[in-house]
Amino acid sequence: MPEGAEPYLPSPYSQWVIVARSQIRHYVRTYRFIGLVTFVGIVSVLWLVLLVASGRGLVQLSFLNSVSEFLTDYAQTLPLWIILAAACFGGDALSVDFHSGTGYYTLVLPVNRSVLLAGRYASALSVTLGVVVFYDLFGILGATYAFGPGSLPWGPLGLSFGLSVLFALAAVSVAFCFSAVFRTPATGVLVTVLVLFVALSTVQGVAEMAGLEPWWSLYYAGGSIANVLDWQFVAQQTIPVGGGQYIQSWAATAQEGASIMAAYVAMFFAFTVVLYQRKESRG
Amino acid sequence: MGSIEVSHLTKWYVPGSPILDDVSFREEGCGAVGYLGPNGAGKTTTLKLLLGLLQPSAGSVRLNDLDPAQDRRRALARVGAIVESPEPYPSETIYDALERVGALRGLDASGIDDEIDRCHRELHLPPLEWPCGWLSKGERQRVVLAAACLGDPAVLLLDEPTNGMDPAERVEVRGFLKRLKRDHLILMSSHLIADVSAICDRLIFLDRGKIRLRASADEVASLVRVDAVDVEFVRPTELAALEGLQPWVRKSVRLGDRRYRFRFDGQEETLSRLLEECGRVGPLLSFTPSVPALEAVYRQVITDAPDREA
C-alpha cells in the first residue's frame, strides 16, 4: 500500500454480513446445535408416529378431533424450544469475548463492537428460527397427513409463525443481556433457561392462583403462539377448584403476546447494547 | 510506516492501585520493541488499551496517529495483534479462520488467497483444510500469528507471540519476526528473554505499572556487569587443580567434570587474569558469561526497582 494511503475497509454492513455468516457456520457445527435439533427431531417424529398409530386405530388421541386442536397442542412446546435455542446460541454470545480465546481472535480486528453485536444477534436469531422452522415443518406434515392438505389454516399458521419470530427476538435479547452481564459463558446459558422457563412459569402459576394476570411474563406471552391456532380460544377463564373456590386463568391473545414480546425486545436489547459497549476486557 | 504512542497512560480498577501508572513512550518507523516485565507488570493491559479493549483512567494512546477509542476501525485498519491467548473456533478450518480475518480486513477473494498462501509458506502452517480444533497449541499460535499478519499491517502488537511453541517452532517464528521487522513496527511483550533478545532492537522494561528502563538493545548490553563466567575445559579437571585461581575468584561452583562457574568482582581485568590462569590449568573449550546480558539487566532492573517490595 502506498505510504500515507487510507487503507480500504469493508463497510460496517459488509462486516456485519461476514460476522453473521461465520457465526452461523460455527453454530451449526456445534454439539449444542446438533443435540438440540436431534432432540426436537425426536419429539417431532414421536408426534408423527402417534398420528400414524392413531390413523391405524392403534391408539385413541383426544387432540385429533380437529386440525386446530392438533396444531394448538403441537405448538405448545414451541416456546420451550425457542428458549432452549436462544439460551444455547445467545446465552454465551458476548461473555465469550472476555472469557475465551475465540473472542480475542475477533476483538483485535478493525470492526466496531456494534457490528460484532449485530452480527452475533442476527446469527443467534437465524439459528433459533431454523429450529422453529424445523419443528413447524413436522407439525404441518402431521396435520396434512391426519386432516388432509386442504384443512390447514394458513392464516393462523402465518400469525403463529410471526409470533414465534417475535418470541425468538425477545428470548435472544434476554439471552444476550445475560451474556453481557455474566463473565462465564455457561452461566449466561443456564440463567437464561432458568429465568425464561423455570422462574417465569413458576411465578406465573403463583400469580394466577393469586388472581393476577401475568402480563409481565414472556413465557405467558409465548402461549399466544399456540393460542392463535385454537378455534375455541378463551382469553380468561374462571376454573372451579372444589369447595366453592375458583381460580382465574389467563391466556395471551395475539395482540397481548406481541406487545409483551416487543417490550422485552426493546428493553433487553437496549440493556445489552449499553452493557456490551461499556464492558471492558479486564483480566 | 507505523507508530505507537502512549502518553501519560494510567489505568486502575481500584483507586490507589494503578495497573499502569503514567506510562509514556513513542515508537515509530520499523523495528521490534521488546516490552518486558514480570507477571502483573501491566504489559497486556497496555496492549489492551492500545487496541481499545480497555478505556484509560488517564492519558491516551494512539496507533498510527489515530485514537482507537475515537475511531476504532481506522485506528486498527493497519494493525495486527495478538492479545491474551486468542484462538479461532475449533470447528472452523484454518482456511476459514484466516479467510474470515482477511474478509473483515477488506481483502478481496484473490488477495485473501495470496495472503493465506504467503503466511502458509512463511510460517509453515499445517494443511489449510484441518479444523483448528485438531491443532496443537504451537500450531494454533502460528495460525493466530498468520491472522495478525494478514493484510500486511504496518504495526504488530504481539502479546507472547511464541506462547505454547516448542523450541523448533520458536526458532522458526523468531526468523519470521526478524524478517518482518525490517519494514514493520513490532511491539512484542514476552517472558521469554531469549526470544526478545533475538528479535528486538529496543527494549522497555515495565514493573508494577511503571517504566523502569527504556533503551536500545546495545545500550542494555553495555549496562551489564558480568560477575560470573562459565568455563569449560577440554579435559576433566579436578577442583584441586584450580587452587591457583583463588586470588581472582570469589566463589567456584563445579557444574560438571569439565565445567565450572567462577564468580568474580566483575572487573574486566580480573576476568582476563582469571581466564589466563584457567588456560594454564588446561586447554579451554569455551567460556561464556553465566547469565545472558538481557536476562542480567532484566534481573537488575526488576529486582532493584526502588519501590519493589522484597
Side-chain angles (χ1 to χ4, degrees), chain A residues 3 6 8 10 15 22-23 29 101-102 105 107 111 280-283, chain B residues 1 11 13 48 53 55 72-74 86-87 89 91 97 100 104 106:
Chain A
E3 186 68 24
E6 189 77 12
Y8 166 75
Q15 289 186 323
S22 60
Q23 196 77 21
R29 288 173 180 166
T102 54
Y105 188 76
L107 278 172
V111 184
E280 292 189 330
S281 59
R282 283 178 71 170
Chain B
M1 295 298 158
K11 179 67 186 175
Y13 297 114
K48 285 182 175 177
L53 299 175
Q55 299 301 313
R72 180 181 167 76
R73 267 166 53 85
R74 283 180 64 219
E87 49 189 85
Y89 293 125
S91 60
R100 174 158 59 109
L104 287 169

PDB file of all heavy atoms in Angstrom, chain A residues 3 6 8 10 15 22-23 29 101-102 105 107 111 280-283, chain B residues 1 11 13 48 53 55 72-74 86-87 89 91 97 100 104 106:
ATOM      1  N   GLU A   3       2.572   4.756   0.850  1.00  0.00           N
ATOM      2  CA  GLU A   3       2.731   5.426   2.142  1.00  0.00           C
ATOM      3  C   GLU A   3       1.654   6.502   2.321  1.00  0.00           C
ATOM      4  O   GLU A   3       1.423   7.326   1.447  1.00  0.00           O
ATOM      5  CB  GLU A   3       4.128   6.055   2.186  1.00  0.00           C
ATOM      6  CG  GLU A   3       4.506   6.667   3.514  1.00  0.00           C
ATOM      7  CD  GLU A   3       4.679   5.645   4.600  1.00  0.00           C
ATOM      8  OE1 GLU A   3       4.963   4.465   4.305  1.00  0.00           O
ATOM      9  OE2 GLU A   3       4.519   6.011   5.752  1.00  0.00           O
ATOM     10  N   GLU A   6      -5.010   5.806   2.644  1.00  0.00           N
ATOM     11  CA  GLU A   6      -6.027   5.327   3.579  1.00  0.00           C
ATOM     12  C   GLU A   6      -6.321   3.852   3.274  1.00  0.00           C
ATOM     13  O   GLU A   6      -6.639   3.519   2.133  1.00  0.00           O
ATOM     14  CB  GLU A   6      -7.293   6.166   3.390  1.00  0.00           C
ATOM     15  CG  GLU A   6      -8.366   5.947   4.427  1.00  0.00           C
ATOM     16  CD  GLU A   6      -8.065   6.626   5.755  1.00  0.00           C
ATOM     17  OE1 GLU A   6      -7.138   7.453   5.835  1.00  0.00           O
ATOM     18  OE2 GLU A   6      -8.756   6.300   6.710  1.00  0.00           O
ATOM     19  N   TYR A   8      -8.189   0.376   2.717  1.00  0.00           N
ATOM     20  CA  TYR A   8      -9.586   0.059   2.393  1.00  0.00           C
ATOM     21  C   TYR A   8     -10.166  -0.863   3.469  1.00  0.00           C
ATOM     22  O   TYR A   8      -9.534  -1.829   3.878  1.00  0.00           O
ATOM     23  CB  TYR A   8      -9.668  -0.632   1.029  1.00  0.00           C
ATOM     24  CG  TYR A   8     -11.013  -1.271   0.802  1.00  0.00           C
ATOM     25  CD1 TYR A   8     -12.122  -0.480   0.506  1.00  0.00           C
ATOM     26  CD2 TYR A   8     -11.183  -2.648   0.950  1.00  0.00           C
ATOM     27  CE1 TYR A   8     -13.366  -1.051   0.343  1.00  0.00           C
ATOM     28  CE2 TYR A   8     -12.434  -3.214   0.785  1.00  0.00           C
ATOM     29  CZ  TYR A   8     -13.521  -2.426   0.484  1.00  0.00           C
ATOM     30  OH  TYR A   8     -14.749  -2.985   0.337  1.00  0.00           O
ATOM     31  N   PRO A  10     -14.010  -2.837   4.476  1.00  0.00           N
ATOM     32  CA  PRO A  10     -15.392  -3.022   4.032  1.00  0.00           C
ATOM     33  C   PRO A  10     -16.332  -2.168   4.880  1.00  0.00           C
ATOM     34  O   PRO A  10     -15.987  -1.804   6.008  1.00  0.00           O
ATOM     35  CB  PRO A  10     -15.655  -4.515   4.267  1.00  0.00           C
ATOM     36  CG  PRO A  10     -14.452  -5.070   4.916  1.00  0.00           C
ATOM     37  CD  PRO A  10     -13.422  -4.025   5.063  1.00  0.00           C
ATOM     38  N   GLN A  15     -19.196  -5.976   6.913  1.00  0.00           N
ATOM     39  CA  GLN A  15     -18.572  -6.675   8.049  1.00  0.00           C
ATOM     40  C   GLN A  15     -19.628  -7.413   8.870  1.00  0.00           C
ATOM     41  O   GLN A  15     -19.390  -8.515   9.360  1.00  0.00           O
ATOM     42  CB  GLN A  15     -17.819  -5.673   8.932  1.00  0.00           C
ATOM     43  CG  GLN A  15     -16.551  -5.150   8.269  1.00  0.00           C
ATOM     44  CD  GLN A  15     -15.728  -4.274   9.197  1.00  0.00           C
ATOM     45  OE1 GLN A  15     -16.285  -3.511   9.986  1.00  0.00           O
ATOM     46  NE2 GLN A  15     -14.417  -4.367   9.094  1.00  0.00           N
ATOM     47  N   SER A  22     -20.116 -16.195   9.415  1.00  0.00           N
ATOM     48  CA  SER A  22     -19.145 -17.093  10.050  1.00  0.00           C
ATOM     49  C   SER A  22     -19.676 -17.618  11.383  1.00  0.00           C
ATOM     50  O   SER A  22     -19.408 -18.748  11.771  1.00  0.00           O
ATOM     51  CB  SER A  22     -17.802 -16.395  10.242  1.00  0.00           C
ATOM     52  OG  SER A  22     -17.950 -15.273  11.059  1.00  0.00           O
ATOM     53  N   GLN A  23     -20.475 -16.784  12.064  1.00  0.00           N
ATOM     54  CA  GLN A  23     -21.040 -17.216  13.352  1.00  0.00           C
ATOM     55  C   GLN A  23     -22.079 -18.330  13.133  1.00  0.00           C
ATOM     56  O   GLN A  23     -22.110 -19.307  13.879  1.00  0.00           O
ATOM     57  CB  GLN A  23     -21.697 -16.004  14.028  1.00  0.00           C
ATOM     58  CG  GLN A  23     -21.979 -16.200  15.504  1.00  0.00           C
ATOM     59  CD  GLN A  23     -20.730 -16.055  16.357  1.00  0.00           C
ATOM     60  OE1 GLN A  23     -19.749 -15.451  15.944  1.00  0.00           O
ATOM     61  NE2 GLN A  23     -20.741 -16.639  17.530  1.00  0.00           N
ATOM     62  N   ARG A  29     -22.184 -26.124  13.487  1.00  0.00           N
ATOM     63  CA  ARG A  29     -21.234 -27.231  13.647  1.00  0.00           C
ATOM     64  C   ARG A  29     -21.059 -27.616  15.112  1.00  0.00           C
ATOM     65  O   ARG A  29     -20.287 -28.517  15.418  1.00  0.00           O
ATOM     66  CB  ARG A  29     -19.875 -26.823  13.087  1.00  0.00           C
ATOM     67  CG  ARG A  29     -19.835 -26.736  11.576  1.00  0.00           C
ATOM     68  CD  ARG A  29     -18.498 -26.163  11.153  1.00  0.00           C
ATOM     69  NE  ARG A  29     -18.379 -26.035   9.719  1.00  0.00           N
ATOM     70  CZ  ARG A  29     -17.420 -25.326   9.130  1.00  0.00           C
ATOM     71  NH1 ARG A  29     -16.530 -24.698   9.847  1.00  0.00           N
ATOM     72  NH2 ARG A  29     -17.351 -25.250   7.821  1.00  0.00           N
ATOM     73  N   GLY A 101     -10.570 -17.527  24.299  1.00  0.00           N
ATOM     74  CA  GLY A 101      -9.694 -17.006  23.255  1.00  0.00           C
ATOM     75  C   GLY A 101     -10.416 -16.701  21.956  1.00  0.00           C
ATOM     76  O   GLY A 101      -9.936 -15.896  21.165  1.00  0.00           O
ATOM     77  N   THR A 102     -11.578 -17.332  21.723  1.00  0.00           N
ATOM     78  CA  THR A 102     -12.259 -17.096  20.447  1.00  0.00           C
ATOM     79  C   THR A 102     -12.693 -15.634  20.323  1.00  0.00           C
ATOM     80  O   THR A 102     -12.745 -15.098  19.228  1.00  0.00           O
ATOM     81  CB  THR A 102     -13.487 -18.013  20.269  1.00  0.00           C
ATOM     82  OG1 THR A 102     -14.324 -17.854  21.397  1.00  0.00           O
ATOM     83  CG2 THR A 102     -13.076 -19.458  20.136  1.00  0.00           C
ATOM     84  N   TYR A 105      -9.759 -13.428  19.263  1.00  0.00           N
ATOM     85  CA  TYR A 105      -9.383 -13.609  17.855  1.00  0.00           C
ATOM     86  C   TYR A 105     -10.041 -12.523  16.988  1.00  0.00           C
ATOM     87  O   TYR A 105      -9.476 -12.074  16.009  1.00  0.00           O
ATOM     88  CB  TYR A 105      -9.817 -15.004  17.401  1.00  0.00           C
ATOM     89  CG  TYR A 105      -9.335 -15.403  16.025  1.00  0.00           C
ATOM     90  CD1 TYR A 105      -8.015 -15.775  15.816  1.00  0.00           C
ATOM     91  CD2 TYR A 105     -10.191 -15.406  14.940  1.00  0.00           C
ATOM     92  CE1 TYR A 105      -7.565 -16.145  14.561  1.00  0.00           C
ATOM     93  CE2 TYR A 105      -9.759 -15.777  13.677  1.00  0.00           C
ATOM     94  CZ  TYR A 105      -8.439 -16.145  13.495  1.00  0.00           C
ATOM     95  OH  TYR A 105      -7.996 -16.503  12.250  1.00  0.00           O
ATOM     96  N   LEU A 107     -11.802  -9.601  18.439  1.00  0.00           N
ATOM     97  CA  LEU A 107     -11.862  -8.260  19.032  1.00  0.00           C
ATOM     98  C   LEU A 107     -10.721  -7.345  18.609  1.00  0.00           C
ATOM     99  O   LEU A 107     -10.834  -6.132  18.703  1.00  0.00           O
ATOM    100  CB  LEU A 107     -11.848  -8.377  20.563  1.00  0.00           C
ATOM    101  CG  LEU A 107     -13.179  -8.683  21.230  1.00  0.00           C
ATOM    102  CD1 LEU A 107     -12.976  -8.964  22.705  1.00  0.00           C
ATOM    103  CD2 LEU A 107     -14.160  -7.538  21.044  1.00  0.00           C
ATOM    104  N   VAL A 111     -13.055  -3.803  13.527  1.00  0.00           N
ATOM    105  CA  VAL A 111     -14.513  -3.964  13.425  1.00  0.00           C
ATOM    106  C   VAL A 111     -15.121  -3.306  14.662  1.00  0.00           C
ATOM    107  O   VAL A 111     -14.646  -3.539  15.780  1.00  0.00           O
ATOM    108  CB  VAL A 111     -14.907  -5.461  13.427  1.00  0.00           C
ATOM    109  CG1 VAL A 111     -16.403  -5.618  13.230  1.00  0.00           C
ATOM    110  CG2 VAL A 111     -14.148  -6.222  12.364  1.00  0.00           C
ATOM    111  N   GLU A 280     -15.437  -3.952  29.608  1.00  0.00           N
ATOM    112  CA  GLU A 280     -14.004  -3.933  29.333  1.00  0.00           C
ATOM    113  C   GLU A 280     -13.451  -5.330  29.494  1.00  0.00           C
ATOM    114  O   GLU A 280     -13.977  -6.136  30.257  1.00  0.00           O
ATOM    115  CB  GLU A 280     -13.292  -3.004  30.315  1.00  0.00           C
ATOM    116  CG  GLU A 280     -13.637  -1.548  30.125  1.00  0.00           C
ATOM    117  CD  GLU A 280     -12.752  -0.656  30.969  1.00  0.00           C
ATOM    118  OE1 GLU A 280     -12.318  -1.109  32.041  1.00  0.00           O
ATOM    119  OE2 GLU A 280     -12.494   0.475  30.557  1.00  0.00           O
ATOM    120  N   SER A 281     -12.372  -5.589  28.772  1.00  0.00           N
ATOM    121  CA  SER A 281     -11.775  -6.924  28.848  1.00  0.00           C
ATOM    122  C   SER A 281     -10.775  -6.976  29.998  1.00  0.00           C
ATOM    123  O   SER A 281      -9.584  -7.021  29.798  1.00  0.00           O
ATOM    124  CB  SER A 281     -11.082  -7.234  27.538  1.00  0.00           C
ATOM    125  OG  SER A 281     -10.097  -6.276  27.289  1.00  0.00           O
ATOM    126  N   ARG A 282     -11.284  -6.895  31.209  1.00  0.00           N
ATOM    127  CA  ARG A 282     -10.412  -6.968  32.385  1.00  0.00           C
ATOM    128  C   ARG A 282      -9.795  -8.343  32.487  1.00  0.00           C
ATOM    129  O   ARG A 282     -10.322  -9.317  32.026  1.00  0.00           O
ATOM    130  CB  ARG A 282     -11.219  -6.714  33.653  1.00  0.00           C
ATOM    131  CG  ARG A 282     -11.531  -5.272  33.874  1.00  0.00           C
ATOM    132  CD  ARG A 282     -12.356  -5.093  35.105  1.00  0.00           C
ATOM    133  NE  ARG A 282     -11.577  -5.349  36.312  1.00  0.00           N
ATOM    134  CZ  ARG A 282     -12.018  -5.075  37.538  1.00  0.00           C
ATOM    135  NH1 ARG A 282     -13.191  -4.545  37.694  1.00  0.00           N
ATOM    136  NH2 ARG A 282     -11.284  -5.324  38.585  1.00  0.00           N
ATOM    137  N   GLY A 283      -8.698  -8.397  33.161  1.00  0.00           N
ATOM    138  CA  GLY A 283      -8.110  -9.706  33.402  1.00  0.00           C
ATOM    139  C   GLY A 283      -6.733  -9.796  32.799  1.00  0.00           C
ATOM    140  O   GLY A 283      -6.295  -8.933  32.088  1.00  0.00           O
TER     141      GLY A 283
ATOM    142  N   MET B   1       4.875   3.717   7.100  1.00  0.00           N
ATOM    143  CA  MET B   1       5.454   3.314   8.387  1.00  0.00           C
ATOM    144  C   MET B   1       4.466   3.549   9.526  1.00  0.00           C
ATOM    145  O   MET B   1       3.677   4.477   9.473  1.00  0.00           O
ATOM    146  CB  MET B   1       6.725   4.132   8.664  1.00  0.00           C
ATOM    147  CG  MET B   1       7.827   3.845   7.672  1.00  0.00           C
ATOM    148  SD  MET B   1       8.347   2.127   7.756  1.00  0.00           S
ATOM    149  CE  MET B   1       9.079   1.942   6.160  1.00  0.00           C
ATOM    150  N   LYS B  11      -3.986   3.345  34.257  1.00  0.00           N
ATOM    151  CA  LYS B  11      -5.184   2.503  34.315  1.00  0.00           C
ATOM    152  C   LYS B  11      -5.301   1.923  35.714  1.00  0.00           C
ATOM    153  O   LYS B  11      -4.344   1.363  36.250  1.00  0.00           O
ATOM    154  CB  LYS B  11      -5.076   1.356  33.289  1.00  0.00           C
ATOM    155  CG  LYS B  11      -6.274   0.412  33.289  1.00  0.00           C
ATOM    156  CD  LYS B  11      -7.540   1.087  32.805  1.00  0.00           C
ATOM    157  CE  LYS B  11      -8.764   0.193  32.950  1.00  0.00           C
ATOM    158  NZ  LYS B  11     -10.005   0.897  32.597  1.00  0.00           N
ATOM    159  N   TYR B  13      -8.301  -0.149  38.387  1.00  0.00           N
ATOM    160  CA  TYR B  13      -9.649  -0.673  38.659  1.00  0.00           C
ATOM    161  C   TYR B  13     -10.081  -0.255  40.043  1.00  0.00           C
ATOM    162  O   TYR B  13     -11.246  -0.011  40.300  1.00  0.00           O
ATOM    163  CB  TYR B  13      -9.676  -2.194  38.523  1.00  0.00           C
ATOM    164  CG  TYR B  13      -9.369  -2.668  37.125  1.00  0.00           C
ATOM    165  CD1 TYR B  13      -8.224  -3.388  36.851  1.00  0.00           C
ATOM    166  CD2 TYR B  13     -10.225  -2.357  36.078  1.00  0.00           C
ATOM    167  CE1 TYR B  13      -7.930  -3.803  35.566  1.00  0.00           C
ATOM    168  CE2 TYR B  13      -9.939  -2.766  34.785  1.00  0.00           C
ATOM    169  CZ  TYR B  13      -8.789  -3.487  34.538  1.00  0.00           C
ATOM    170  OH  TYR B  13      -8.502  -3.887  33.266  1.00  0.00           O
ATOM    171  N   LYS B  48      -3.998  -4.012  25.582  1.00  0.00           N
ATOM    172  CA  LYS B  48      -5.462  -3.908  25.509  1.00  0.00           C
ATOM    173  C   LYS B  48      -5.902  -2.449  25.386  1.00  0.00           C
ATOM    174  O   LYS B  48      -6.858  -2.140  24.677  1.00  0.00           O
ATOM    175  CB  LYS B  48      -6.099  -4.541  26.752  1.00  0.00           C
ATOM    176  CG  LYS B  48      -6.074  -6.061  26.740  1.00  0.00           C
ATOM    177  CD  LYS B  48      -6.753  -6.604  27.974  1.00  0.00           C
ATOM    178  CE  LYS B  48      -6.855  -8.110  27.957  1.00  0.00           C
ATOM    179  NZ  LYS B  48      -7.454  -8.631  29.192  1.00  0.00           N
ATOM    180  N   LEU B  53      -9.567  -2.093  23.859  1.00  0.00           N
ATOM    181  CA  LEU B  53     -10.361  -3.081  24.609  1.00  0.00           C
ATOM    182  C   LEU B  53     -10.584  -2.622  26.041  1.00  0.00           C
ATOM    183  O   LEU B  53     -11.435  -3.149  26.747  1.00  0.00           O
ATOM    184  CB  LEU B  53      -9.662  -4.447  24.614  1.00  0.00           C
ATOM    185  CG  LEU B  53      -9.437  -5.070  23.236  1.00  0.00           C
ATOM    186  CD1 LEU B  53      -8.636  -6.347  23.347  1.00  0.00           C
ATOM    187  CD2 LEU B  53     -10.770  -5.342  22.573  1.00  0.00           C
ATOM    188  N   GLN B  55     -10.568   1.145  28.514  1.00  0.00           N
ATOM    189  CA  GLN B  55     -10.550   2.604  28.477  1.00  0.00           C
ATOM    190  C   GLN B  55      -9.519   3.099  29.483  1.00  0.00           C
ATOM    191  O   GLN B  55      -9.510   2.639  30.627  1.00  0.00           O
ATOM    192  CB  GLN B  55     -11.927   3.157  28.850  1.00  0.00           C
ATOM    193  CG  GLN B  55     -13.047   2.740  27.907  1.00  0.00           C
ATOM    194  CD  GLN B  55     -12.804   3.178  26.485  1.00  0.00           C
ATOM    195  OE1 GLN B  55     -12.443   4.325  26.238  1.00  0.00           O
ATOM    196  NE2 GLN B  55     -12.963   2.267  25.531  1.00  0.00           N
ATOM    197  N   ARG B  72     -12.158   3.368  16.102  1.00  0.00           N
ATOM    198  CA  ARG B  72     -11.577   2.033  16.214  1.00  0.00           C
ATOM    199  C   ARG B  72     -11.244   1.426  14.845  1.00  0.00           C
ATOM    200  O   ARG B  72     -10.176   0.858  14.646  1.00  0.00           O
ATOM    201  CB  ARG B  72     -12.586   1.167  16.969  1.00  0.00           C
ATOM    202  CG  ARG B  72     -12.157  -0.239  17.189  1.00  0.00           C
ATOM    203  CD  ARG B  72     -13.250  -1.014  17.917  1.00  0.00           C
ATOM    204  NE  ARG B  72     -12.932  -2.417  17.840  1.00  0.00           N
ATOM    205  CZ  ARG B  72     -11.998  -3.004  18.568  1.00  0.00           C
ATOM    206  NH1 ARG B  72     -11.326  -2.320  19.453  1.00  0.00           N
ATOM    207  NH2 ARG B  72     -11.741  -4.286  18.429  1.00  0.00           N
ATOM    208  N   ARG B  73     -12.179   1.559  13.921  1.00  0.00           N
ATOM    209  CA  ARG B  73     -12.000   0.925  12.607  1.00  0.00           C
ATOM    210  C   ARG B  73     -10.751   1.457  11.900  1.00  0.00           C
ATOM    211  O   ARG B  73      -9.920   0.695  11.431  1.00  0.00           O
ATOM    212  CB  ARG B  73     -13.234   1.190  11.735  1.00  0.00           C
ATOM    213  CG  ARG B  73     -14.293   0.098  11.808  1.00  0.00           C
ATOM    214  CD  ARG B  73     -15.607   0.570  11.224  1.00  0.00           C
ATOM    215  NE  ARG B  73     -15.500   1.105   9.879  1.00  0.00           N
ATOM    216  CZ  ARG B  73     -15.526   0.382   8.759  1.00  0.00           C
ATOM    217  NH1 ARG B  73     -15.647  -0.925   8.829  1.00  0.00           N
ATOM    218  NH2 ARG B  73     -15.466   0.967   7.567  1.00  0.00           N
ATOM    219  N   ARG B  74     -10.611   2.765  11.845  1.00  0.00           N
ATOM    220  CA  ARG B  74      -9.463   3.341  11.133  1.00  0.00           C
ATOM    221  C   ARG B  74      -8.163   3.129  11.907  1.00  0.00           C
ATOM    222  O   ARG B  74      -7.116   2.873  11.320  1.00  0.00           O
ATOM    223  CB  ARG B  74      -9.701   4.829  10.874  1.00  0.00           C
ATOM    224  CG  ARG B  74     -10.669   5.052   9.704  1.00  0.00           C
ATOM    225  CD  ARG B  74     -10.906   6.523   9.452  1.00  0.00           C
ATOM    226  NE  ARG B  74      -9.695   7.218   9.033  1.00  0.00           N
ATOM    227  CZ  ARG B  74      -9.368   8.449   9.442  1.00  0.00           C
ATOM    228  NH1 ARG B  74     -10.139   9.103  10.274  1.00  0.00           N
ATOM    229  NH2 ARG B  74      -8.271   9.015   9.006  1.00  0.00           N
ATOM    230  N   PRO B  86      -5.536 -15.825  21.950  1.00  0.00           N
ATOM    231  CA  PRO B  86      -6.655 -15.945  21.010  1.00  0.00           C
ATOM    232  C   PRO B  86      -6.672 -17.299  20.316  1.00  0.00           C
ATOM    233  O   PRO B  86      -5.620 -17.929  20.142  1.00  0.00           O
ATOM    234  CB  PRO B  86      -6.393 -14.830  20.002  1.00  0.00           C
ATOM    235  CG  PRO B  86      -4.943 -14.565  20.082  1.00  0.00           C
ATOM    236  CD  PRO B  86      -4.493 -14.923  21.459  1.00  0.00           C
ATOM    237  N   GLU B  87      -7.849 -17.735  19.953  1.00  0.00           N
ATOM    238  CA  GLU B  87      -7.953 -18.977  19.176  1.00  0.00           C
ATOM    239  C   GLU B  87      -9.177 -18.923  18.279  1.00  0.00           C
ATOM    240  O   GLU B  87     -10.211 -18.392  18.674  1.00  0.00           O
ATOM    241  CB  GLU B  87      -8.005 -20.197  20.098  1.00  0.00           C
ATOM    242  CG  GLU B  87      -8.991 -20.104  21.227  1.00  0.00           C
ATOM    243  CD  GLU B  87      -8.824 -21.256  22.196  1.00  0.00           C
ATOM    244  OE1 GLU B  87      -7.973 -21.153  23.085  1.00  0.00           O
ATOM    245  OE2 GLU B  87      -9.555 -22.237  22.056  1.00  0.00           O
ATOM    246  N   TYR B  89     -12.426 -20.565  16.151  1.00  0.00           N
ATOM    247  CA  TYR B  89     -13.393 -21.591  16.558  1.00  0.00           C
ATOM    248  C   TYR B  89     -12.814 -22.969  16.263  1.00  0.00           C
ATOM    249  O   TYR B  89     -12.266 -23.183  15.170  1.00  0.00           O
ATOM    250  CB  TYR B  89     -14.701 -21.439  15.792  1.00  0.00           C
ATOM    251  CG  TYR B  89     -15.456 -20.184  16.117  1.00  0.00           C
ATOM    252  CD1 TYR B  89     -15.827 -19.289  15.120  1.00  0.00           C
ATOM    253  CD2 TYR B  89     -15.803 -19.880  17.426  1.00  0.00           C
ATOM    254  CE1 TYR B  89     -16.518 -18.131  15.420  1.00  0.00           C
ATOM    255  CE2 TYR B  89     -16.493 -18.719  17.727  1.00  0.00           C
ATOM    256  CZ  TYR B  89     -16.841 -17.858  16.723  1.00  0.00           C
ATOM    257  OH  TYR B  89     -17.523 -16.708  17.020  1.00  0.00           O
ATOM    258  N   SER B  91     -14.186 -25.593  15.399  1.00  0.00           N
ATOM    259  CA  SER B  91     -14.844 -26.301  14.290  1.00  0.00           C
ATOM    260  C   SER B  91     -14.441 -25.744  12.923  1.00  0.00           C
ATOM    261  O   SER B  91     -14.640 -26.410  11.912  1.00  0.00           O
ATOM    262  CB  SER B  91     -16.364 -26.202  14.451  1.00  0.00           C
ATOM    263  OG  SER B  91     -16.751 -24.844  14.429  1.00  0.00           O
ATOM    264  N   ALA B  97     -10.736 -19.779   9.096  1.00  0.00           N
ATOM    265  CA  ALA B  97     -10.358 -18.845  10.165  1.00  0.00           C
ATOM    266  C   ALA B  97      -9.579 -17.658   9.593  1.00  0.00           C
ATOM    267  O   ALA B  97      -9.796 -16.511   9.986  1.00  0.00           O
ATOM    268  CB  ALA B  97      -9.523 -19.565  11.217  1.00  0.00           C
ATOM    269  N   ARG B 100     -11.852 -15.433   7.186  1.00  0.00           N
ATOM    270  CA  ARG B 100     -12.730 -14.527   7.940  1.00  0.00           C
ATOM    271  C   ARG B 100     -11.977 -13.223   8.282  1.00  0.00           C
ATOM    272  O   ARG B 100     -12.511 -12.124   8.103  1.00  0.00           O
ATOM    273  CB  ARG B 100     -13.177 -15.250   9.214  1.00  0.00           C
ATOM    274  CG  ARG B 100     -13.969 -14.411  10.187  1.00  0.00           C
ATOM    275  CD  ARG B 100     -14.802 -15.288  11.100  1.00  0.00           C
ATOM    276  NE  ARG B 100     -14.037 -16.225  11.892  1.00  0.00           N
ATOM    277  CZ  ARG B 100     -13.853 -16.127  13.224  1.00  0.00           C
ATOM    278  NH1 ARG B 100     -14.380 -15.109  13.865  1.00  0.00           N
ATOM    279  NH2 ARG B 100     -13.187 -17.040  13.904  1.00  0.00           N
ATOM    280  N   LEU B 104     -12.778  -9.474   6.807  1.00  0.00           N
ATOM    281  CA  LEU B 104     -13.084  -8.348   7.696  1.00  0.00           C
ATOM    282  C   LEU B 104     -12.081  -7.208   7.514  1.00  0.00           C
ATOM    283  O   LEU B 104     -12.391  -6.054   7.778  1.00  0.00           O
ATOM    284  CB  LEU B 104     -13.099  -8.806   9.162  1.00  0.00           C
ATOM    285  CG  LEU B 104     -14.315  -9.649   9.572  1.00  0.00           C
ATOM    286  CD1 LEU B 104     -14.115 -10.272  10.935  1.00  0.00           C
ATOM    287  CD2 LEU B 104     -15.586  -8.803   9.566  1.00  0.00           C
ATOM    288  N   GLY B 106     -10.961  -6.417   4.617  1.00  0.00           N
ATOM    289  CA  GLY B 106     -11.249  -5.794   3.328  1.00  0.00           C
ATOM    290  C   GLY B 106     -10.454  -6.335   2.163  1.00  0.00           C
ATOM    291  O   GLY B 106     -10.414  -5.711   1.102  1.00  0.00           O
TER     292      GLY B 106
END
